[in-house]
Amino acid sequence: MFDDRSPIYQQIADRIKDDVLSGALKEDEQVMSTNQYAAFFQINPATAAKGFAQLVDEGVLYKKRGIGMFVSPDARERLRADRRSRFFAEVVDPMVAEARVLGVPLDDVIKHINGGSR
């Protein structure tokens, strides 16, 4: 489940974000407690808590005192907007810049994306 590429708490946060984006976790749905999460994945509860705290800080999760953590009502759309922005900044913009350096017309790039010939 976890790899060495990033801290475990970050991987926890990313996994929950992916579950929200995919619809596996719905708005206002309760998520596992940090202790349940830690026990299930056999990790330190403090590590799980750090990942959950990050999600609360980002507005993905919210706490109901004495009950647990829940998915924020606007979490999915907020995450989608963030990922869209990062997609353009990290994928599309560099691709367009490289196409320009190589002299590839953007119309050719668009044709290729739409399944046209190279």
Side-chain angles (χ1 to χ4, degrees), residues 41-95:
F41 291 106
Q42 298 179 334
I43 59 172
N44 187 316
T47 301
K50 189 171 182 179
F52 278 61
Q54 177 181 326
L55 294 169
V56 170
D57 290 345
E58 293 176 5
V60 175
L61 299 179
Y62 67 94
K63 297 177 189 179
K64 283 187 181 179
R65 187 178 170 119
I67 299 175
M69 299 258 200
F70 295 80
V71 177
S72 296
D74 62 345
R76 188 171 191 207
E77 283 310 308
R78 187 182 314 182
L79 289 169
R80 273 186 162 169
D82 179 59
R83 291 252 180 117
R84 277 188 211 112
S85 294
R86 283 192 296 139
F87 173 75
F88 282 100
E90 296 173 5
V91 177
V92 176
D93 293 346
M95 179 188 64

Side-chain angles (χ1 to χ4, degrees), residues 6-7 11 20 22 27 37 44 47 84 100:
S6 62
Q11 293 178 60
V20 170
S22 73
E27 294 180 354
Y37 205 91
N44 187 316
T47 301
R84 277 188 211 112
R100 286 186 174 137

